[in-house]
Amino acid sequence: MGSAAEQKLVKITVNGTEVEVPEGELIVESVKRLGLEIPIFCYHPRMKPVGMCRMCLVEVGFKQADGSVRMMPKPQAGCTLPASENLVVVTDSESIHRDRKGVLEFLLANHPLDCPICDRGGECPLQNNTIFYGPSTSRFIEVKRHLPKAVPLSEYVTLDLERCIQCGRCVRFTEEISGDSQLAFRFRGAEMQPSTFELTDFTSKFSGNVIEVCPVGALTSSKYRFRSRPWDLETKASICTECGNGCNVWLDYRSGKLVRINGRTNELVNEEWTCDRGKFGQEYIDSPERLDRVLLRKADALHESSWPEAMDAIAARFVESGDSSAMLVGPRATNEDLYLAREIVTKTFGSRNLDHRWTKNLPNNPEATAVHSRIADFETARAILIFGNDLSDEQPILYLRVRKAWSQFNVPVVVISDRATSADAFAEAVVRYAPGEEVEILTSLSGMVRGGGGSEDLKRASEILRGGFLLAASSSVFNSASGEATAVALRDLCASAGTPDGYNLFALGANEQGARDLGILPTEGGKDTKRILEACASGEVKSLWLLHCDPFSLYHDRGLVERALENVEFLVVQDILATEATLFASAVLPSCSHAEYEGTYTNIERRVQRVPRILPPKGSARPPWQVFCDLRLAATGAMPFFGPSEVMEAIAKEHSQFAGVSYSGLAGEGCVLASADSALASAGIEGGGG
Amino acid sequence: MITEIVGDVIRPILGGLSLTARRLRRDKATVMYPEEKRELPPRTRWRHVLARYENGLEKCIGCSLCAGACPARCIYVEAAENTDEERYSPGERYAKRYEINMIRCIFCGFCQEACPTGAIVLRKDFELANYHRDDFIYTKEMLLEPLAIAGEQ
């Protein structure tokens, strides 16, 4: 990105118009500067060109010293041709039109005419290019070739061999982008077909992307198979809430039901990729397990109730409990929910017991969970250190960015982990530690980075990290016994390499970072997650509120959770799905999924992104922030907020990092929050800059 | 006086009656509907029918092109996959749900034109009146050609 400015510009002529482009830019990209388009199949802007499909043929010539143009005798593939001085390109001549028709005729000779039942029909590059550039009728009267149709490559991807045009995009995606090289071509010539090695399952974590990358309907989604046609779908821009990365997606829905999820381009976050967890993991929205009614426990059984009745019961209990009430928050709540949750716990209930963390260790130092880098920064890093769990599991899209940094920008990567990870394959140095030894390893590594001696396997790692690096670790480090000490050791390692600002301990949950920023933590003298659960078990905490969380699946100590939920006098479960915790509930409040109410989420790089309301809420489900508003109104008569944008105004007023954030400004790529200290600085010195 | 009456009153009456008498000899233009029905022109576009192949399989493959072509947006199609045990149409795909809102339909015939298999056809049954709005949503079961008469036309 930064190097683009230094690049030499060359003059080329496209269809008689002169244009300056960076030297070496591919012609297929250069012509876009003039608003022209060269039809493509195999070329993909994020992968290396291969020139396999021959769809992008252009006539090429060179301007001679005397001003005449010497054309090359044969057309060239625009996707493999770099721009150079005095290049002349013709994309619009009679012979090029004839060539395109010929290429398409060859492609269609082996392509079945099952567009009406093909999931790609209606949004298919082959259909589009045929209509714009292809022959209007077919001369093919022979018998079409027949190959296996609907071969399941994996649980998610279906392969139709008849439709494949052998462009190699899927194969190159697994080789160049996801790096797992799961797909390859078998056989040669007309018989060539993409497949997995020895026909095993296609087990990539990013397999969903090949569906979108495929320019025909050869690779289709098994989950979306025959569910809709593109013209029957409505679509809205949203974000994914499966992990903290905040990937931008399109939610496609039909008659109020989510049908599929496609990647939405945001160069700063996910480029255009999605992981399988995000693309296929959102079926819970239409799950039969969804809570859709207010339930209240009367005489040992949950009975259907109404919102006003439940609100009265809850408000009375919690206000009465005061400081012996508590709230635990899960990872899927918007900033607005979180802000009001804190308001209501600290002000309305007058309690200090509030937490969003579910790790074994609960760090008290806010610096331990600091994040300094943006996702895109990893491309220009000097070196990258991945610490702890497998990054491709925890933050799949960040993993793709790290891999891109290595493959395209030669950034060396060091992996320090207690297990084999996907990043080992391309890491310059891999350090393994036994669980419990991480602090020791990190301390000796920082000593070596500072110039001291040490063991052989750390040597290579210390050499790479010496000049500074960016750290990619996640809050899962607190799941180890030495959680907080590990964070200190990591910070020390960053500092010893001279880049204290390279320290990033990324959040894991969809809005865990938002909860960190909005202070969903015990206030002075309050109880943290562990102590809240213990106090519930001992009867010290009398009423507990669970917002979008199931302690049974989030907390490591099942026994403690069970004792806590059994013994707490009054338990409110406000959740999307019926969970184990619902069985213990005194009151069950149905909540909306992220597609059903408007709000903002803060992703791992502290980018606040807005999500619209797309689907109607299930049954009598209500968004949490609205419930909190009502409760506040019932208990204290406080003026309610009439929309999430008003809540955001209140957040922006109260939290300096959010200064200047408003709903109208959050359209598009979202907005990155100022870091805690720089927000203070800008508030003091410049009065807050945009 | 009398000549005036004959000329101005009786004569025109007789003239008119004789025209009526002459017309009586011709064929009738009206029919005794609903007991008697007239043959409609071959290209009449009225009630939709989902046709079948001769072997009884449905022609409709649930491609939703009719819904895409429909200017009144009155067609709803939901597709599903054929299996060997449960086969509705030849090939992979069939229409699980197929509904037409007959109040919205403008009988333009675009659906018929768009259909790649000739499954949806507008036939001549025009007696579509009903008492309840809900009854105008024609489901797939109502639209499908009955198995017995398949192949007759």
Side-chain angles (χ1 to χ4, degrees):
Chain A
M1 279 181 290
S3 58
E6 302 146 25
Q7 245 167 11
K8 199 181 139 200
L9 292 179
V10 290
K11 247 190 210 126
I12 63 167
T13 313
V14 180
N15 296 348
T17 316
E18 274 206 353
V19 60
E20 280 204 326
V21 300
E23 186 174 22
E25 188 183 60
L26 299 171
I27 294 305
V28 70
E29 291 291 328
S30 299
V31 300
K32 288 183 189 163
R33 294 168 189 268
L34 290 169
L36 296 172
E37 205 198 344
I38 296 179
I40 47 168
F41 288 119
C42 71
Y43 173 75
H44 192 284
R46 294 184 206 278
M47 299 179 212
K48 290 188 195 108
V50 285
M52 283 172 94
C53 72
R54 316 311 289 175
M55 192 61 210
C56 59
L57 292 176
V58 287
E59 281 189 85
V60 175
F62 283 96
K63 238 183 221 160
Q64 303 298 307
D66 60 356
S68 66
V69 176
R70 206 172 144 202
M71 297 304 283
M72 280 171 128
K74 286 204 288 183
Q76 305 289 313
C79 73
T80 50
L81 188 69
S84 54
E85 193 67 45
N86 292 329
L87 190 75
V88 177
V89 179
V90 182
T91 69
D92 208 18
S93 68
E94 193 64 32
S95 73
I96 287 298
H97 283 293
R98 223 173 30 239
D99 292 343
R100 286 174 184 163
K101 276 203 176 77
V103 169
L104 276 167
E105 196 169 20
F106 273 129
L107 288 178
L108 291 174
N110 272 340
H111 193 83
L113 283 175
D114 61 357
C115 300
I117 63 152
C118 174
D119 276 334
R120 202 73 158 131
E123 49 180 17
C124 171
L126 181 59
Q127 272 187 335
N128 294 348
N129 281 345
T130 305
I131 282 167
F132 285 116
Y133 307 104
S136 51
T137 53
S138 169
R139 294 188 291 169
F140 193 86
I141 50 165
E142 291 77 11
V143 179
K144 286 261 181 195
R145 66 169 183 173
H146 285 292
L147 291 167
K149 291 181 86 73
V151 185
L153 278 188
S154 72
E155 193 190 340
Y156 302 125
V157 185
T158 306
L159 170 66
D160 187 313
L161 280 170
E162 278 185 9
R163 294 184 193 143
C164 178
I165 59 165
Q166 288 105 11
C167 70
R169 273 192 183 187
C170 51
V171 173
R172 283 181 290 142
F173 174 84
T174 62
E175 277 168 12
E176 292 173 27
I177 309 287
S178 71
D180 43 40
S181 301
Q182 287 264 329
L183 295 179
F185 274 127
R186 297 163 76 210
F187 312 124
R188 287 290 170 269
E191 248 102 85
M192 191 153 86
Q193 46 179 262
S195 82
T196 48
F197 179 65
E198 291 199 324
L199 306 180
T200 47
D201 240 20
F202 180 27
T203 49
S204 171
K205 283 164 191 152
F206 306 96
S207 66
N209 291 298
V210 301
I211 297 164
E212 284 175 70
V213 154
C214 180
V216 292
L219 292 163
T220 51
S221 160
S222 314
K223 303 273 169 189
Y224 172 67
R225 188 168 163 80
F226 296 166
R227 281 190 68 187
S228 182
R229 309 303 314 267
W231 53 86
D232 287 332
L233 288 173
E234 288 172 272
T235 188
K236 269 197 187 143
S238 183
I239 68 156
C240 173
T241 56
E242 288 303 309
C243 76
N245 205 78
C247 293
N248 290 218
V249 294
W250 293 110
L251 283 191
D252 288 359
Y253 58 102
R254 186 185 185 197
S255 327
K257 277 210 166 120
L258 181 71
V259 178
R260 67 169 176 185
I261 285 160
N262 278 342
R264 180 161 62 93
T265 304
N266 186 339
E267 297 296 339
L268 301 169
V269 182
N270 57 323
E271 300 184 284
E272 64 185 75
W273 312 122
T274 51
C275 69
D276 284 0
R277 194 143 52 101
K279 196 176 169 75
F280 303 110
Q282 307 204 8
E283 278 170 351
Y284 72 92
I285 291 175
D286 288 314
S287 156
E289 298 283 292
R290 279 291 298 269
L291 295 171
D292 56 359
R293 284 165 301 169
V294 183
L295 302 173
L296 217 51
R297 190 172 292 277
K298 285 172 202 157
D300 272 5
L302 285 168
H303 291 279
E304 191 166 347
S305 174
S306 66
W307 277 104
E309 193 186 353
M311 290 325 268
D312 286 346
I314 292 166
R317 286 303 292 246
F318 274 82
V319 173
E320 184 193 311
S321 302
D323 198 30
S324 57
S325 66
M327 186 185 278
L328 289 171
V329 180
R332 269 195 193 133
T334 64
N335 287 326
E336 291 74 13
D337 299 339
L338 294 172
Y339 171 78
L340 284 171
R342 190 168 195 277
E343 285 288 293
I344 202 152
V345 171
T346 54
K347 300 201 179 136
T348 313
F349 303 157
S351 167
R352 297 169 297 175
N353 314 321
L354 173 70
D355 210 338
H356 75 277
R357 300 164 299 175
W358 295 93
T359 44
K360 266 188 206 167
N361 278 278
L362 303 163
N364 292 317
N365 184 355
E367 271 183 41
T369 54
V371 170
H372 297 104
S373 310
R374 312 254 172 97
I375 294 169
D377 288 347
F378 281 85
E379 281 177 17
T380 50
R382 230 202 107 277
I384 296 170
L385 169 62
I386 303 175
F387 177 84
N389 282 352
D390 194 342
L391 188 65
S392 68
D393 277 333
E394 290 190 336
Q395 257 116 19
I397 297 299
L398 182 65
Y399 166 78
L400 286 190
R401 193 67 82 143
V402 170
R403 198 178 178 283
K404 181 185 176 192
W406 164 77
S407 71
Q408 288 193 16
F409 304 102
N410 298 318
V411 179
V413 176
V414 176
V415 176
I416 304 180
S417 175
D418 60 349
R419 64 197 76 183
T421 73
S422 309
D424 294 355
F426 58 88
E428 290 275 307
V430 179
V431 179
R432 286 272 180 285
Y433 61 83
E437 281 176 11
E438 51 265 53
V439 179
E440 205 177 305
I441 289 271
L442 289 170
T443 325
S444 59
L445 189 59
S446 16
M448 288 170 75
V449 168
R450 285 207 183 85
S455 66
E456 202 53 36
D457 61 329
L458 291 178
K459 208 168 151 207
R460 182 83 192 102
S462 64
E463 277 163 15
I464 296 163
L465 299 178
R466 193 161 289 150
F469 65 92
L470 295 187
L471 169 70
S474 76
S475 46
S476 62
V477 302
F478 300 122
N479 273 331
S480 75
S482 55
E484 202 156 1
T486 312
V488 172
L490 281 169
R491 222 164 49 248
D492 186 45
L493 181 60
C494 290
S496 61
T499 45
D501 273 359
Y503 179 81
N504 301 296
L505 203 92
F506 291 118
L508 285 173
N511 205 20
E512 193 183 322
Q513 185 61 45
R516 287 177 184 177
D517 286 335
L518 291 169
I520 307 301
L521 295 166
T523 46
E524 211 53 49
K527 298 181 180 65
D528 58 19
T529 307
K530 186 167 181 243
R531 288 179 50 214
I532 288 175
L533 290 173
E534 282 166 358
C536 285
S538 70
E540 193 188 331
V541 163
K542 292 197 167 53
S543 16
L544 176 65
W545 191 310
L546 298 175
L547 169 62
H548 286 193
C549 63
D550 176 24
F552 284 106
S553 62
L554 290 167
Y555 200 64
H556 65 284
D557 189 350
R558 257 192 88 87
L560 175 61
V561 172
E562 205 168 325
R563 266 181 288 129
L565 299 194
E566 257 171 19
N567 291 322
V568 71
E569 273 176 34
F570 197 77
L571 175 68
V572 176
V573 176
Q574 185 176 20
D575 213 338
I576 302 164
L577 293 174
T579 60
E580 236 180 309
T582 344
L583 303 174
F584 298 85
S586 316
V588 177
L589 305 178
S591 196
C592 295
S593 70
H594 77 285
E596 290 157 12
Y597 70 113
E598 197 176 359
T600 61
Y601 291 83
T602 310
N603 83 346
I604 54 169
E605 58 168 355
R606 306 179 76 240
R607 180 181 300 278
V608 180
Q609 301 186 101
R610 191 172 146 191
V611 174
R613 181 190 141 138
I614 296 174
L615 305 171
K618 288 270 180 302
S620 54
R622 299 185 70 203
W625 69 267
Q626 248 177 24
V627 176
F628 296 143
C629 278
D630 283 4
L631 201 66
R632 242 160 50 116
L633 183 68
T636 62
M639 180 72 175
F641 294 98
F642 286 104
S645 61
E646 284 186 18
V647 186
M648 182 45 84
E649 274 171 40
I651 296 174
K653 251 180 234 159
E654 204 171 302
H655 293 265
S656 59
Q657 313 155 23
F658 280 83
V661 177
S662 73
Y663 260 41
S664 51
L666 283 177
E669 289 175 340
C671 142
V672 179
L673 295 181
S675 69
D677 25 293
S678 79
L680 285 178
S682 66
I685 299 162
E686 302 156 11
Chain B
M1 179 68 183
I2 287 180
T3 49
E4 274 173 21
I5 292 172
V6 170
D8 292 352
V9 182
I10 298 183
R11 231 180 156 177
I13 290 175
L14 287 177
L17 282 174
S18 71
L19 183 72
T20 310
R22 260 181 283 142
R23 285 282 189 271
L24 276 175
R25 287 206 305 273
R26 288 199 195 170
D27 289 342
K28 282 183 289 181
T30 52
V31 294
M32 292 298 283
Y33 181 84
E35 289 81 17
E36 215 180 295
K37 283 172 192 169
R38 182 178 287 145
E39 181 59 24
L40 292 170
R43 289 198 283 177
T44 307
R45 299 192 304 260
W46 280 113
R47 187 188 186 281
H48 312 67
V49 169
L50 281 172
R52 289 181 193 269
Y53 289 106
E54 272 166 29
N55 60 5
L57 284 179
E58 294 160 16
K59 284 187 176 174
C60 180
I61 50 170
C63 71
S64 203
L65 279 168
C66 46
C70 181
R73 304 293 275 148
C74 69
I75 307 182
Y76 178 87
V77 186
E78 221 179 271
E81 192 159 2
N82 279 314
T83 55
D84 285 337
E85 296 82 53
E86 244 185 292
R87 179 160 289 286
Y88 296 88
S89 67
E92 297 168 76
R93 184 172 174 142
Y94 77 97
K96 191 169 76 179
R97 263 175 80 187
Y98 192 105
E99 282 167 14
I100 301 182
N101 185 342
M102 286 292 182
I103 311 185
R104 281 203 179 180
C105 179
I106 57 167
F107 301 95
C108 63
F110 281 12
C111 47
Q112 183 173 350
E113 224 171 277
C115 186
T117 60
I120 184 96
V121 275
L122 278 73
R123 295 231 170 111
K124 295 175 184 174
D125 177 13
F126 56 88
E127 293 153 313
L128 303 173
N130 226 324
Y131 292 97
H132 303 285
R133 279 170 189 275
D134 289 350
D135 297 339
F136 286 96
I137 310 283
Y138 279 41
T139 59
K140 186 186 169 192
E141 290 68 42
M142 296 157 81
L143 292 165
L144 254 184
E145 217 170 9
L147 260 174
I149 66 154
E152 255 178 38
Q153 310 217 357

